[in-house]
Amino acid sequence: MTDELPMFPLNAVLFPGISLPLRVFEDRYRALVRHLLTIEDPAERLFGSVAIREGYEVGDHGAQSLFRTGVRLQLTEVEENPDGTFDVIAVGRDRIQLDGLRAGSDYPVGQVTVLTEPRAQVTPEVAARARATFTAYRAMVSEIAEDPLSGDLPSDPEFLAWTLSAVAPLPMAERQQLLEATDAEERLVLVTDLLRGELEAMNVISSLPATEVARTRWSPN
């Protein structure tokens, strides 16, 4: 079933389970926040975000090209500033497919399909390999920078896959691959391979990965 959802495209790939702080200053996204605040049930204050393939988050031109797979988020905290901007926190709920986008209202509105997550069985060896690879990566990064993860890795394989995807130090296209993976096992295999590539590169060049989002601490919710 296709639903309409307010949309907030970003220059980042988001994942279910993330807690995302945002400074909202552009008029159309202020209008989006004001609209969400009119919804009485906080659980229904939902909006979508997809990564911008080409273009910008703000300005007259805005996003020129968007990825189709993104995330539905719930607005959980809002603080309005004296200048009319907002500081908000949103939590990723589930994946969506963007079927169409219209800009005729005060803020972008998407026609989206909420994607059902398959409950595929994750092979214990796949989960163990992913944990071991991230532990090695975490130890190496922690020698030269802040720990990329706050807390312990989750025990649930599906949540483990989302957590590792969120903290993986990867370019946008590869993060989008992780978001679009069919199920948790495929996602864990892919993120393990990508993290191993990072470890190999870091063993050759002792420096942080270049992706800025990978340097951000991530706490599962």
Side-chain angles (χ1 to χ4, degrees), residues 30-48:
R30 293 191 207 184
L32 186 154
V33 173
R34 287 193 292 268
H35 161 72
L36 293 176
L37 291 176
T38 66
I39 299 173
E40 186 173 352
D41 184 356
E44 296 300 319
R45 293 173 180 171
L46 303 174
F47 66 101

Side-chain angles (χ1 to χ4, degrees), residues 37-100:
L37 291 176
T38 66
I39 299 173
E40 186 173 352
D41 184 356
E44 296 300 319
R45 293 173 180 171
L46 303 174
F47 66 101
S49 183
V50 290
I52 299 170
R53 190 194 304 264
E54 178 184 342
Y56 306 94
E57 293 178 7
V58 298
D60 295 335
H61 298 291
Q64 298 172 7
S65 176
L66 303 172
F67 287 100
R68 290 192 65 198
T69 303
V71 172
R72 184 170 62 162
L73 301 108
Q74 178 184 343
L75 188 70
T76 57
E77 297 181 33
V78 179
E79 180 179 349
E80 185 170 6
N81 301 310
D83 62 359
T85 63
F86 292 95
D87 289 310
V88 308
I89 295 178
V91 176
R93 290 254 302 247
D94 40 29
R95 293 190 306 159
I96 57 172
Q97 176 181 290
L98 179 63
D99 301 314

Side-chain angles (χ1 to χ4, degrees), residues 118-124 126 157-158 183-186 188:
R119 296 296 298 179
Q121 188 69 29
V122 175
T123 308
V126 169
E158 185 172 351
D183 55 36
E185 176 148 326
E186 180 183 324
L188 284 171

Side-chain angles (χ1 to χ4, degrees), residues 122-219:
V122 175
T123 308
E125 291 77 12
V126 169
R129 194 177 304 119
R131 286 176 176 276
T133 303
F134 177 74
T135 299
Y137 167 77
R138 189 180 191 180
M140 181 170 287
V141 167
S142 296
E143 293 178 1
I144 52 178
E146 191 175 24
D147 191 336
L149 177 68
S150 174
D152 299 324
L153 287 172
S155 57
D156 178 75
E158 185 172 351
F159 200 17
L160 174 67
W162 288 130
T163 301
L164 295 184
S165 297
V167 301
L170 302 168
M172 181 181 290
E174 291 175 343
R175 291 173 66 82
Q176 186 70 27
Q177 277 186 278
L178 290 169
L179 181 64
E180 295 179 6
T182 304
D183 55 36
E185 176 148 326
E186 180 183 324
R187 194 167 288 114
L188 284 171
V189 170
L190 179 57
V191 76
T192 299
D193 290 343
L194 294 170
L195 283 172
R196 283 181 170 177
E198 284 294 319
L199 280 169
E200 291 173 4
M202 292 169 71
N203 277 321
V204 174
I205 304 173
S206 181
S207 63
L208 280 174
T211 307
E212 197 64 37
V213 71
R215 299 191 183 117
T216 304
R217 289 168 62 85
W218 191 85
S219 178

